[in-house]
Amino acid sequence: MGTFLGHLVPGLALALLGFWHAINTIKAHYQNGTTKFRSKFWYPFNSPLPTLQHLDLILVLSFSIFCIVIQFLDLPSLHFSFKLHNIEHATMFLNLTVFAGFTLLVELSNLPEILHGILGILVTSIFGQELFLLHYHSTDHVGLEGHYHWLLQIVVFISLMSALVVTCFPACFPAALVLSISVIFQGCWFMNMGFNLWFPQFVPNGCVMQSSEGHENLVHGVVMCHTNEADLRARAMANLQFSWVIAAILILVAGISLVFARNRADRTLLSKYEQLQSRGRDIPVTINCLK
């Protein structure tokens, strides 16, 4: 993960997964209503082909296994390298693999309602393990890179808490939506880190990428700032990016919510109008009967 593509690809996958869950969570809430809403940790793909119903879980499982293999594959020499930081990165995807595989088995066995709590525990363990490995990483993320990773830990902690609430209270729509938003945020922040830390053109002014050659404690490179003022300015820009990313996500999610809310309101008004028309037709019949 200590490369530009190592942040861009997993980040894009997480962001798309989070958006898929956010859209389906909002859709389920406005279609079923507050009394019948029940959150899910995965959503089926509606398709004429029954085999594509579990596409969500199949993609997550396949991508997790792919990421684990890539962590041990040293490119471009194409030989396996079992370094400590690679094992830590692969372990982050291990719990995701266990969750996707177990959930797929549960769905094929038609036991989702009975094992909802177990699935919630597995989801919570994903974020708990991720937070643990980010906090106690064997590679020292110092300077600007450390600040980006510290901000990432905040997002992962929110994911952990919201997953725990959804596990205990499946009917809590705000917690389910926060969980989806936090996954989107993680994906977007991974991509943002890839550009600002591993893409030379986006490195902040006054800072440079330091090569890892000859440095055992570095993964592939790290951003070093020449002066304290440049370091403070780069950290301030990271804080602003953090605020801008969450603002953009919230605007998009609010827009999606508004679309589904309007559709539900239109259906409610149409239903009330049909009821009034039905009552209007029944009134003359009642009057004639009385006569």
Side-chain angles (χ1 to χ4, degrees), residues 52-64:
L52 296 180
Q53 182 180 5
H54 302 94
L55 185 63
D56 182 353
L57 295 174
I58 294 173
L59 289 178
V60 171
L61 179 61
S62 303
F63 183 76
S64 302

Side-chain angles (χ1 to χ4, degrees), residues 122-170:
L122 292 179
V123 172
T124 306
S125 70
I126 295 173
F127 301 116
Q129 189 73 2
E130 182 184 4
L131 182 62
F132 174 77
L133 291 174
L134 283 173
H135 189 74
Y136 295 104
H137 205 287
S138 62
T139 304
D140 292 332
H141 294 297
V142 296
L144 181 61
E145 187 180 8
H147 188 67
Y148 273 93
H149 279 80
W150 182 80
L151 293 174
L152 177 61
Q153 290 180 53
I154 297 177
V155 185
V156 177
F157 178 76
I158 295 174
S159 299
L160 174 63
M161 292 295 102
S162 56
L164 188 60
V165 173
V166 170
T167 302
C168 299
F169 306 100

Side-chain angles (χ1 to χ4, degrees), residues 159-199:
S159 299
L160 174 63
M161 292 295 102
S162 56
L164 188 60
V165 173
V166 170
T167 302
C168 299
F169 306 100
C172 183
F173 169 70
L177 187 58
V178 168
L179 177 58
S180 301
I181 291 174
S182 65
V183 174
I184 301 173
F185 203 150
Q186 282 193 56
C188 292
W189 195 247
F190 266 115
M191 292 188 287
N192 187 61
M193 289 172 59
F195 279 102
N196 287 278
L197 298 177
W198 305 103
F199 205 79

Side-chain angles (χ1 to χ4, degrees), residues 12-25 177 179-185:
L12 182 61
L14 275 176
L16 293 177
L17 179 65
F19 274 118
W20 170 253
H21 280 231
I23 292 172
N24 282 277
T25 299
L177 187 58
L179 177 58
S180 301
I181 291 174
S182 65
V183 174
I184 301 173
F185 203 150

